Amino acid sequence: MVYLTRRMRFNAAHKLWVREWSEEQNLATFGKCANKNWHGHNYDLHVTVKGEPDPTTGFVMDAKKLRDIIQAEVIDDLDHSNLNLDVDWLPKDLQPTTENVVIHIWRRLADKVNDGKLHCVKLYETENIYAEYLGE
Amino acid sequence: MVYLTRRMRFNAAHKLWVREWSEEQNLATFGKCANKNWHGHNYDLHVTVKGEPDPTTGFVMDAKKLRDIIQAEVIDDLDHSNLNLDVDWLPKDLQPTTENVVIHIWRRLADKVNDGKLHCVKLYETENIYAEYLGE
Amino acid sequence: MVYLTRRMRFNAAHKLWVREWSEEQNLATFGKCANKNWHGHNYDLHVTVKGEPDPTTGFVMDAKKLRDIIQAEVIDDLDHSNLNLDVDWLPKDLQPTTENVVIHIWRRLADKVNDGKLHCVKLYETENIYAEYLGE
Amino acid sequence: MVYLTRRMRFNAAHKLWVREWSEEQNLATFGKCANKNWHGHNYDLHVTVKGEPDPTTGFVMDAKKLRDIIQAEVIDDLDHSNLNLDVDWLPKDLQPTTENVVIHIWRRLADKVNDGKLHCVKLYETENIYAEYLGE
Amino acid sequence: MVYLTRRMRFNAAHKLWVREWSEEQNLATFGKCANKNWHGHNYDLHVTVKGEPDPTTGFVMDAKKLRDIIQAEVIDDLDHSNLNLDVDWLPKDLQPTTENVVIHIWRRLADKVNDGKLHCVKLYETENIYAEYLGE
Amino acid sequence: MVYLTRRMRFNAAHKLWVREWSEEQNLATFGKCANKNWHGHNYDLHVTVKGEPDPTTGFVMDAKKLRDIIQAEVIDDLDHSNLNLDVDWLPKDLQPTTENVVIHIWRRLADKVNDGKLHCVKLYETENIYAEYLGE
């Protein structure tokens, strides 16, 4: 079993805000992340699949094909988007934390990646904060 | 003459949009950067001062003091902000490209940095695009 | 279950030296790391917690709170310290290898991190050497 | 149980090509990676061993010794080599994908690393593609 | 005057070899870089243009347009190529050192970059070796 | 004229301390950098030479030879050293700031680098602080 990872990037805006809460409570909880005019990040996405290398091609999965799937299913929607407003497959009431976004990227990719088996989705919000989801 | 650089970071939202242009013309010029709902970046800022090291302290400028000036004059305003809407010293009609933002960070810092002499401001928008301004 | 990681940094001096051994034996075992006048590193620390994202905030654990705990419990003591001499919770007879320091950072954090559950502590001594501890 | 990793680098040429296939089929499958005149990469190798730190030295394994083993068994053969032609322990009919190379580096190291126990071999082909093998 | 840089990447094979010299002399001069079966690198290219930001768009030069020019004029030819054999605009008798390749990338781009003025081409062969050319 | 840079690394301990000052004044000026038990860094050194590529070898200067000179003249002395105590060519009364160390590395290398001409020495103390010296 070999694990193969493809890294891709997207840039997006978001804010953390609970609609049912007062501005005061939002600022107390989320600090500057609750800025009503949004802020943004260069997100760095690592998608890992697992499997045995094909005896002829040596591929667990063609990395170009994996890239194309991630591009079509995830990056095309997320890049230069507003994570709170623009992405159909991110529920409108979902808090777009790195933790929540990584789960929804997993769900988006899980049944599209059928040459290998999706093993892990890792998402860096900054160089200092990242989240990983293994589907469990 | 030694050049001393301090690197700091901020996260912000922005969009590129010319008010006098149609949506069509904006999208043709700026592509996804014109998304009306904003997008954002992890900006990476390098501020360089020049001077001779003080014979006693060995400092061109105290890097902690340089950090505090950049934090107070630049980062406090830019971090978790919307560059089009939130920053007093970025003119409202200014296109917040990396090129324009780096010029205004220079102007903001030039007369605050008086232990050394401001030499260069460099700003990374992503790991692939950055702008430098030397005040000339 | 999502894994959330916060990265922080500290700079410290140390040396590797067994008091019961001759200088010869120390140098034979530890090489330049046994320099009696110390050497040092920029340490890079990754602390990972695991849990389910809170349905309202989207947080496994508030990353700012995680940062504050690591700062108060670990970084305040380790940054600009001598790992052999200055840190109360590193036993005086402990060899301050990356392997040993990472275990003691785990012990320091394990019961302070009570919103999530501590999953992994990873410590880079240089870009080429790092150690991980999962509490087992 | 602590996991200790040593990172090393090598530069090599390779191509992906199935001898039994037509040029057409090779190009359709491998794209530019099938260039008959080769291309190459700066490979980045992470070797992880696991064990308990020695109570005296604090080492899971002496990182210098681990480096010397990786250098002698792997890097000396792979650095500035052609992965299809030059390396005795890479079978001539093996497709030198990252997935296949990482398995053979594991096999090369597994019984040489006897102070700790080999846990993982991770190989970056580029900053965007990497493979990991845990011996299972 | 603002300096705007776009970073791109390519992977290529090469060898250093003087046809008029014996194998002995080649190995004595170029070491492992003279391996007759080639080796390769992940090259990292930084192209810098200079100019004043356009008062409407805020662009010294549209970074997307700069990227497209570099892709068409440089990357399409160099990526997954053999620098000694495959590239029309690298003379066949040219030693493909980083120093020489960076000069020829400059010549390739100088009159194509007409929105700004080409200022510098920087090429990393590895993370430890890079060359810069400013056209003088 | 092409600029060729070789990057190398060393790990060292140091402290900032003026002997003529009280502990109070030292702590007020240097903060945690004045810890009497030392602290340390992973230093990252970039040495740039300039010249025209040799028409036969394509070298401004053989990068392996440049590496060997930097190793012998600089790294052998600085690596795993105490910058205040251990290095003959760093004056005992010199404040080992990045600014001062970079000047002395320049002086150490200037007349040893005679294939090219020394152009710049750049030294990172951390990823956030670096100094450059061009000999003027």
Side-chain angles (χ1 to χ4, degrees):
Chain A
M1 185 75 72
V2 178
Y3 299 83
L4 177 76
T5 300
R6 173 79 208 191
R7 176 187 170 216
M8 301 186 76
R9 302 155 186 80
F10 61 92
N11 310 318
H14 78 155
K15 72 176 166 190
L16 303 185
W17 189 271
V18 175
R19 237 170 285 179
E20 293 72 24
W21 289 359
S22 65
E23 182 167 0
E24 208 170 22
Q25 192 176 356
N26 272 294
L27 291 172
T29 305
F30 297 118
K32 298 178 101 175
C33 296
N35 177 13
K36 68 180 190 300
N37 286 331
W38 320 96
H39 67 285
H41 297 290
N42 300 332
Y43 288 91
D44 191 2
L45 174 67
H46 295 232
V47 176
T48 303
V49 295
K50 63 180 170 190
E52 288 184 56
D54 179 276
T56 306
T57 63
F59 288 155
V60 164
M61 179 175 176
D62 182 349
K64 290 188 301 297
K65 192 174 163 187
L66 179 54
R67 180 199 60 196
D68 291 345
I69 292 172
I70 303 170
Q71 182 71 40
E73 300 296 328
V74 173
I75 304 292
D76 280 351
D77 291 333
L78 297 182
D79 191 32
H80 285 74
S81 79
N82 182 310
L83 301 179
N84 300 66
L85 302 178
D86 290 338
V87 186
D88 285 348
W89 43 274
L90 289 179
K92 286 300 159 292
D93 59 338
L94 181 84
Q95 209 54 249
T97 57
T98 320
E99 294 97 309
N100 275 339
V101 175
V102 84
I103 292 175
H104 282 80
I105 293 175
W106 172 284
R107 290 181 186 165
R108 186 81 180 155
L109 290 173
D111 55 358
K112 304 298 183 332
V113 176
N114 43 22
D115 283 357
K117 193 176 156 198
L118 190 58
H119 173 67
C120 181
V121 178
K122 185 179 186 178
L123 183 65
Y124 287 79
E125 187 178 86
T126 69
E127 61 181 20
N128 296 326
I129 296 178
Y130 54 90
E132 291 159 282
Y133 184 58
L134 286 88
E136 308 171 332
Chain B
M1 187 75 74
V2 179
Y3 300 82
L4 177 75
T5 301
R6 173 78 208 191
R7 177 186 170 216
M8 300 186 77
R9 300 157 187 81
F10 62 91
N11 311 318
H14 78 152
K15 73 175 164 192
L16 303 185
W17 188 270
V18 176
R19 238 170 284 179
E20 293 73 24
W21 290 359
S22 65
E23 183 166 358
E24 207 170 21
Q25 193 176 358
N26 271 295
L27 291 172
T29 305
F30 297 119
K32 299 178 101 174
C33 296
N35 176 14
K36 68 180 191 300
N37 286 332
W38 321 95
H39 67 283
H41 298 291
N42 300 332
Y43 288 91
D44 192 2
L45 174 68
H46 295 233
V47 176
T48 303
V49 296
K50 62 181 172 189
E52 289 183 56
D54 179 276
T56 307
T57 63
F59 288 154
V60 164
M61 181 175 175
D62 181 350
K64 290 187 302 297
K65 194 175 161 187
L66 179 54
R67 180 198 59 195
D68 291 345
I69 292 172
I70 302 169
Q71 181 72 40
E73 300 296 329
V74 174
I75 304 293
D76 281 351
D77 291 334
L78 297 183
D79 191 31
H80 285 74
S81 81
N82 182 309
L83 300 180
N84 300 66
L85 301 178
D86 290 337
V87 185
D88 285 347
W89 44 272
L90 289 179
K92 285 300 160 290
D93 59 339
L94 182 83
Q95 209 55 249
T97 57
T98 321
E99 295 97 309
N100 274 339
V101 174
V102 83
I103 293 175
H104 282 81
I105 292 175
W106 172 283
R107 291 181 186 165
R108 185 84 181 153
L109 289 174
D111 57 357
K112 304 299 184 331
V113 176
N114 44 20
D115 283 357
K117 194 176 154 197
L118 191 58
H119 173 67
C120 182
V121 178
K122 185 180 187 177
L123 183 64
Y124 287 79
E125 188 178 86
T126 68
E127 63 181 18
N128 295 325
I129 295 178
Y130 55 89
E132 291 160 281
Y133 184 58
L134 287 87
E136 307 169 332
Chain C
M1 187 75 73
V2 178
Y3 299 82
L4 177 75
T5 300
R6 172 80 208 190
R7 177 187 170 215
M8 301 186 77
R9 301 154 187 81
F10 62 92
N11 311 318
H14 77 155
K15 72 174 165 192
L16 303 185
W17 189 270
V18 175
R19 237 170 286 180
E20 294 73 24
W21 290 358
S22 65
E23 182 167 359
E24 209 171 20
Q25 192 176 358
N26 272 295
L27 290 172
T29 305
F30 297 118
K32 299 179 99 175
C33 296
N35 177 13
K36 68 179 190 300
N37 286 332
W38 320 95
H39 67 284
H41 297 289
N42 300 333
Y43 289 91
D44 192 2
L45 173 67
H46 294 232
V47 176
T48 303
V49 296
K50 63 181 170 188
E52 288 184 55
D54 179 277
T56 305
T57 63
F59 288 154
V60 164
M61 180 175 175
D62 181 350
K64 291 188 301 299
K65 193 174 163 188
L66 179 55
R67 179 198 61 196
D68 291 344
I69 292 172
I70 303 170
Q71 181 70 40
E73 300 296 330
V74 173
I75 304 293
D76 280 350
D77 291 333
L78 297 182
D79 191 31
H80 285 74
S81 80
N82 183 309
L83 300 180
N84 300 66
L85 301 177
D86 289 338
V87 185
D88 286 346
W89 44 273
L90 290 178
K92 284 303 160 289
D93 59 340
L94 182 84
Q95 210 55 249
T97 57
T98 320
E99 294 97 310
N100 274 340
V101 175
V102 83
I103 293 174
H104 282 79
I105 293 175
W106 171 284
R107 290 181 187 165
R108 186 80 180 155
L109 289 173
D111 55 356
K112 303 299 182 333
V113 176
N114 43 23
D115 282 357
K117 194 176 155 196
L118 191 58
H119 172 67
C120 182
V121 178
K122 184 179 186 178
L123 183 65
Y124 287 79
E125 187 178 86
T126 69
E127 61 180 18
N128 296 326
I129 296 178
Y130 52 89
E132 292 159 282
Y133 184 58
L134 286 88
E136 308 171 330
Chain D
M1 187 74 74
V2 178
Y3 299 82
L4 178 75
T5 301
R6 174 78 208 191
R7 176 187 169 214
M8 301 186 77
R9 300 153 187 82
F10 62 92
N11 310 319
H14 78 154
K15 72 174 165 193
L16 303 185
W17 188 270
V18 176
R19 238 170 285 180
E20 293 74 22
W21 290 359
S22 65
E23 182 167 359
E24 206 171 21
Q25 193 176 359
N26 272 295
L27 290 172
T29 306
F30 296 119
K32 300 179 99 174
C33 296
N35 177 13
K36 67 180 188 303
N37 286 331
W38 320 95
H39 66 284
H41 297 290
N42 300 332
Y43 288 91
D44 191 2
L45 174 66
H46 295 234
V47 176
T48 303
V49 297
K50 63 182 170 188
E52 287 183 56
D54 179 275
T56 305
T57 63
F59 288 155
V60 164
M61 180 176 175
D62 182 349
K64 289 188 301 298
K65 193 175 162 187
L66 179 54
R67 180 199 60 196
D68 291 345
I69 292 172
I70 303 170
Q71 181 71 40
E73 300 295 330
V74 174
I75 304 293
D76 281 350
D77 292 333
L78 298 183
D79 192 31
H80 285 71
S81 79
N82 182 310
L83 301 180
N84 299 67
L85 302 177
D86 290 338
V87 186
D88 285 346
W89 43 273
L90 290 178
K92 284 302 160 289
D93 59 339
L94 182 83
Q95 210 54 250
T97 57
T98 322
E99 294 96 309
N100 274 340
V101 175
V102 83
I103 292 175
H104 282 79
I105 294 175
W106 172 283
R107 290 181 187 165
R108 186 83 180 153
L109 290 173
D111 56 356
K112 304 298 183 332
V113 177
N114 44 21
D115 282 357
K117 195 178 154 196
L118 190 58
H119 173 67
C120 182
V121 178
K122 184 180 186 177
L123 183 65
Y124 288 79
E125 187 179 86
T126 70
E127 62 181 19
N128 297 325
I129 296 179
Y130 54 89
E132 292 159 283
Y133 183 58
L134 287 88
E136 306 171 334
Chain E
M1 187 73 74
V2 178
Y3 300 83
L4 178 74
T5 301
R6 173 79 209 191
R7 178 188 170 215
M8 300 185 78
R9 301 156 186 81
F10 62 92
N11 310 319
H14 78 154
K15 72 176 164 192
L16 303 184
W17 188 271
V18 175
R19 240 171 284 180
E20 294 72 25
W21 290 358
S22 65
E23 182 166 0
E24 208 170 21
Q25 192 176 357
N26 272 295
L27 290 172
T29 305
F30 297 119
K32 301 178 99 174
C33 297
N35 177 14
K36 68 178 191 301
N37 286 330
W38 321 95
H39 67 284
H41 298 290
N42 300 333
Y43 288 91
D44 190 3
L45 174 67
H46 295 232
V47 176
T48 303
V49 296
K50 63 181 170 189
E52 288 183 56
D54 179 275
T56 306
T57 63
F59 287 155
V60 164
M61 180 175 176
D62 182 349
K64 289 187 302 296
K65 193 174 161 186
L66 179 55
R67 179 200 60 196
D68 290 345
I69 292 172
I70 303 169
Q71 181 73 39
E73 301 295 330
V74 174
I75 304 292
D76 280 351
D77 291 333
L78 298 182
D79 191 31
H80 285 72
S81 80
N82 182 309
L83 299 180
N84 300 65
L85 302 177
D86 290 337
V87 186
D88 286 345
W89 44 272
L90 290 178
K92 284 301 160 291
D93 59 339
L94 182 83
Q95 209 54 249
T97 58
T98 321
E99 294 96 310
N100 275 340
V101 175
V102 83
I103 293 175
H104 282 80
I105 293 175
W106 172 283
R107 291 181 186 164
R108 185 83 181 153
L109 289 174
D111 56 357
K112 303 300 183 332
V113 176
N114 43 22
D115 283 356
K117 195 176 153 197
L118 190 59
H119 172 67
C120 182
V121 178
K122 186 179 187 178
L123 183 64
Y124 288 79
E125 188 178 87
T126 68
E127 62 180 19
N128 295 326
I129 296 179
Y130 54 90
E132 292 160 281
Y133 184 57
L134 287 87
E136 309 171 329
Chain F
M1 188 72 76
V2 179
Y3 299 83
L4 178 75
T5 300
R6 174 79 208 192
R7 176 186 170 216
M8 299 186 78
R9 301 156 186 80
F10 62 92
N11 311 319
H14 78 155
K15 73 175 165 191
L16 303 184
W17 187 270
V18 175
R19 238 169 286 179
E20 294 73 24
W21 290 358
S22 65
E23 182 167 359
E24 207 171 19
Q25 193 176 356
N26 272 295
L27 290 172
T29 304
F30 297 119
K32 299 179 99 174
C33 296
N35 177 13
K36 68 178 189 302
N37 286 331
W38 321 95
H39 67 283
H41 297 289
N42 300 333
Y43 288 91
D44 190 3
L45 173 67
H46 295 233
V47 176
T48 303
V49 297
K50 62 180 171 192
E52 288 183 56
D54 179 276
T56 306
T57 63
F59 288 155
V60 165
M61 179 175 177
D62 181 350
K64 289 187 302 297
K65 193 175 161 187
L66 179 54
R67 180 199 60 196
D68 291 344
I69 292 172
I70 303 170
Q71 182 72 40
E73 299 296 330
V74 174
I75 304 293
D76 280 352
D77 291 333
L78 297 182
D79 192 31
H80 284 73
S81 80
N82 183 310
L83 300 181
N84 300 66
L85 302 177
D86 290 338
V87 185
D88 285 347
W89 44 273
L90 290 179
K92 285 301 159 291
D93 59 338
L94 182 83
Q95 210 54 247
T97 57
T98 321
E99 294 97 310
N100 274 340
V101 175
V102 84
I103 292 174
H104 283 79
I105 293 175
W106 173 283
R107 291 182 186 165
R108 186 83 181 152
L109 290 174
D111 56 357
K112 304 299 184 330
V113 176
N114 43 21
D115 283 356
K117 195 176 155 197
L118 189 58
H119 172 67
C120 182
V121 179
K122 185 178 186 179
L123 183 63
Y124 287 79
E125 187 178 87
T126 69
E127 61 179 20
N128 296 325
I129 295 178
Y130 55 90
E132 292 159 281
Y133 183 58
L134 285 89
E136 307 172 331

